[in-house]
Amino acid sequence: MELMMQQRQELKLLMTAQLRQSIELLQYSTDDLEQFIRQQELENPLIELQDSSITTQVERLPSFKKLKRTALQPTDISKPIEENFRDQLMQMVKLNFKDDSTKKLLTYMIHNLNDNGYLEIEGTGSNYSTEYITEGIELLQQIGPIGIGARNLEECLLLQSQYRYPEYPMLEEIIQHYLPLLAEKKWSLIAKNLKCSVSQVGQLSELILTLNPRPCSLMQIGSTEYLRPDIIVEEHQNELIFYLNDYYLPSIKLNEYYLTVPKTNRDDQQYIHTHYKNYQWLMNSIEQRRNTIIKIMHVLMKRQLPFFSKGLSELIPLTLKEVADEIEMHESTVSRATSNKFIQTPIGTFELKSLFTSKVATNDGGNISQEKVKTLLKQFIQKEDKLKPFSDQKIAEYFNTEHAIQIARRTISKYRDELNIPSASMRKKWK
């Protein structure tokens, strides 16, 4: 066998670090992009940031004329000092109890409450007996919401039922022994075991629904999270306009001082050259991200025009691939550009990806959006007779005959789960 050497030319696409970051840049929200730009300033001496001039480019439909729009600075909101609900309980203990041993017990219990008000003691190494803990739970009912300090759901509901409905002794028996059957709405079996009517079980079930399984949820003090949309759509003189909400992004300037400083050696030249290329890459990547989002928005504004006035129920079937083909980009690019971004419209704020919806075929050869089908499903179930709720198969047949929508039973079940609508057996009510 003869050994020989050969030369061959090949073209390969390598995933460089800059290319990878350019792809990631598409996925950034405007807030994430601001943090990334400021991080680049720290790493690159050629980058200088200046405060934004607070102007943003507006895109107008259908003429797509561009104009300058002044954006308002958001008002600063001061956050008040928040007091933890445990601190409130501790103050109540000091005011209502004088005995030191009682204070010590209740302090121990309050420190072991979870966010919902349940008592969670790790392991079995508690300094107090079960009977003493039970006495402490009774004392907690005097200073906190009824049900606080319960060790489980059953005990929590029992404490509330004893306080609110003492005239229904059978209610306690259902809570203690029949909660799983009650959740499955097996009222006939419960009635048989308790030797009562199904209507009585139904009445007691309604009472249980008035109890709070998380007694401290109303006492929790949470901070308000403010969402800053990436795209804003407004109605102006009977036409829709949109603009990117990026007015607060700092302006990126080139520090030319380092370009004019004499380079004494090859390493200095390479250092400046590398950072200059990084500066150019950053500017190009940001502009490419901006142009990509604008192109996508032009398509969405044309194709989903009914949505901007009537909401998600009027969404027209539209996929990422259809938008990608229209703007001559790859589907993955559109997917990345629409990720982690929110759009503010005259009817509310939505995740940008919610404007894309798959198709459901109709009998006349047309298509209807998934969101439209979900809206029809929700409306249909709201109007049904709760004494005889429709099964998923009956709903599928109704859609086929009344709305000419070809849909399978399992698809109805899937949509029902996504809308948090229980099954027919769980929706059923008894006389």
Side-chain angles (χ1 to χ4, degrees):
M1 185 176 182
E2 183 179 359
L3 297 177
M4 56 189 300
M5 295 180 63
Q6 289 183 342
Q7 266 188 328
R8 184 173 59 185
Q9 283 187 331
E10 287 184 346
L11 290 176
K12 289 185 178 180
L13 179 62
L14 299 178
M15 179 67 76
T16 63
Q18 285 190 343
L19 179 58
R20 187 180 297 110
Q21 281 192 331
S22 296
I23 294 174
E24 292 177 356
L25 208 65
L26 278 173
Q27 301 178 135
Y28 287 168
S29 65
T30 310
D31 288 339
D32 294 336
L33 180 60
E34 180 188 11
Q35 296 178 15
F36 179 77
I37 290 174
R38 297 195 182 279
Q39 181 64 33
Q40 291 298 305
E41 181 194 25
L42 299 176
E43 298 175 359
N44 193 337
L46 271 65
I47 293 178
E48 285 186 348
L49 300 183
Q50 296 180 359
D51 291 337
S52 173
S53 58
I54 318 180
T55 58
T56 183
Q57 177 177 290
V58 174
E59 300 292 335
R60 188 182 292 267
L61 221 72
S63 58
F64 301 113
K65 294 177 182 178
K66 298 180 181 179
L67 55 95
K68 292 290 184 178
R69 180 180 182 87
T70 302
L72 300 177
Q73 286 280 16
T75 56
D76 293 331
I77 300 175
S78 59
K79 187 176 180 181
I81 298 175
E82 299 175 355
E83 185 179 9
N84 190 283
F85 80 94
R86 288 183 177 81
D87 297 331
Q88 298 175 5
L89 290 175
M90 293 299 299
Q91 293 294 330
M92 296 295 293
V93 168
K94 293 178 182 179
L95 291 173
N96 290 273
F97 302 99
K98 304 299 182 183
D99 184 57
D100 290 338
S101 61
T102 301
K103 289 182 180 180
K104 187 176 180 180
L105 168 65
L106 295 180
T107 300
Y108 169 79
M109 295 178 65
I110 290 171
H111 285 308
N112 284 278
L113 293 177
N114 64 18
D115 291 339
N116 290 323
Y118 285 87
L119 184 63
E120 291 184 346
I121 301 177
E122 298 181 359
T124 57
S126 173
N127 298 326
Y128 301 98
S129 65
T130 303
E131 292 77 12
Y132 203 34
I133 290 291
T134 302
E135 293 179 12
I137 293 174
E138 294 176 358
L139 294 176
L140 281 178
Q141 312 307 304
Q142 302 176 20
I143 60 173
I146 303 301
I148 187 173
R151 286 158 286 195
N152 50 53
L153 175 63
E154 177 187 313
E155 186 175 17
C156 178
L157 297 180
L158 273 176
L159 289 170
Q160 295 180 60
S161 65
Q162 291 168 357
Y163 175 80
R164 296 181 61 180
Y165 307 113
E167 67 274 19
Y168 294 98
M170 196 180 297
L171 187 61
E172 296 183 22
E173 190 170 356
I174 289 181
I175 293 174
Q176 287 178 319
H177 304 290
Y178 299 104
L179 276 183
L181 292 177
L182 196 67
E184 298 174 6
K185 288 209 170 183
K186 295 183 178 180
W187 293 355
S188 299
L189 181 58
I190 298 174
K192 181 180 178 181
N193 292 338
L194 294 179
K195 297 179 180 179
C196 65
S197 65
V198 175
S199 61
Q200 284 181 288
V201 176
Q203 181 185 10
L204 296 175
S205 175
E206 295 294 330
L207 294 179
I208 291 177
L209 291 177
T210 64
L211 306 179
N212 186 3
R214 296 187 292 271
C216 282
S217 59
L218 297 178
M219 297 182 63
Q220 296 178 21
I221 304 174
S223 58
T224 303
E225 295 185 5
Y226 296 92
L227 177 66
R228 183 149 50 182
D230 303 275
I231 305 155
I232 296 179
V233 177
E234 294 179 350
E235 187 174 354
H236 182 70
Q237 296 179 355
N238 296 325
E239 68 174 343
L240 290 177
I241 60 174
F242 78 89
Y243 55 92
L244 303 190
N245 189 29
D246 56 2
Y247 68 89
Y248 57 89
L249 290 181
S251 300
I252 304 174
K253 304 295 182 182
L254 175 64
N255 188 344
E256 298 182 357
Y257 170 76
Y258 289 98
L259 299 179
T260 59
V261 172
K263 286 76 175 176
T264 57
N265 55 55
R266 189 183 186 92
D267 291 340
D268 292 342
Q269 294 178 358
Q270 182 62 33
Y271 177 83
I272 296 299
H273 178 71
T274 300
H275 283 85
Y276 181 70
K277 287 181 62 177
N278 290 341
Y279 161 79
Q280 290 180 316
W281 162 81
L282 179 61
M283 297 296 292
N284 293 335
S285 297
I286 292 175
E287 186 63 23
Q288 182 181 3
R289 172 187 176 275
R290 179 182 178 83
N291 291 334
T292 302
I293 295 175
I294 289 176
K295 288 179 181 179
I296 294 172
M297 278 305 301
H298 278 309
V299 177
L300 290 176
M301 295 280 282
K302 288 187 295 184
R303 301 282 291 273
Q304 299 290 14
L305 194 57
F307 158 79
F308 293 101
S309 59
K310 298 180 181 178
L312 291 172
S313 61
E314 296 300 320
L315 278 177
I316 296 171
L318 184 66
T319 63
L320 294 171
K321 189 176 187 312
E322 290 174 334
V323 175
D325 292 341
E326 189 161 341
I327 64 176
E328 298 180 349
M329 289 185 176
H330 196 272
E331 182 180 350
S332 61
T333 303
V334 177
S335 176
R336 291 187 177 96
T338 54
S339 296
N340 307 316
K341 296 174 183 64
F342 289 84
I343 177 172
Q344 178 181 307
T345 72
I347 59 171
T349 301
F350 304 87
E351 192 173 3
L352 186 58
K353 275 205 167 182
S354 65
L355 273 66
F356 298 87
T357 178
S358 58
K359 306 173 183 178
V360 177
T362 58
N363 294 337
D364 58 1
N367 295 300
I368 187 173
S369 72
Q370 230 180 53
E371 292 298 331
K372 181 68 173 179
V373 176
K374 289 181 181 179
T375 301
L376 293 173
L377 174 62
K378 188 174 182 180
Q379 292 173 350
F380 179 71
I381 291 179
Q382 286 176 345
K383 295 177 181 179
E384 71 180 356
D385 182 4
K386 298 306 178 185
L387 298 177
K388 296 180 180 180
F390 291 100
S391 65
D392 293 341
Q393 183 61 41
K394 291 291 184 182
I395 296 175
E397 293 172 359
Y398 166 80
F399 272 64
N400 189 20
T401 56
E402 298 296 328
H403 295 281
I405 298 174
Q406 299 177 9
I407 190 167
R409 179 201 58 80
R410 61 180 179 274
T411 307
I412 293 292
S413 177
K414 173 187 172 184
Y415 290 171
R416 206 174 29 73
D417 292 339
E418 291 175 357
L419 294 170
N420 294 321
I421 298 176
S423 62
S425 61
M426 299 297 291
R427 300 196 305 271
K428 184 176 181 179
K429 290 186 177 181
W430 297 77
K431 290 184 179 180

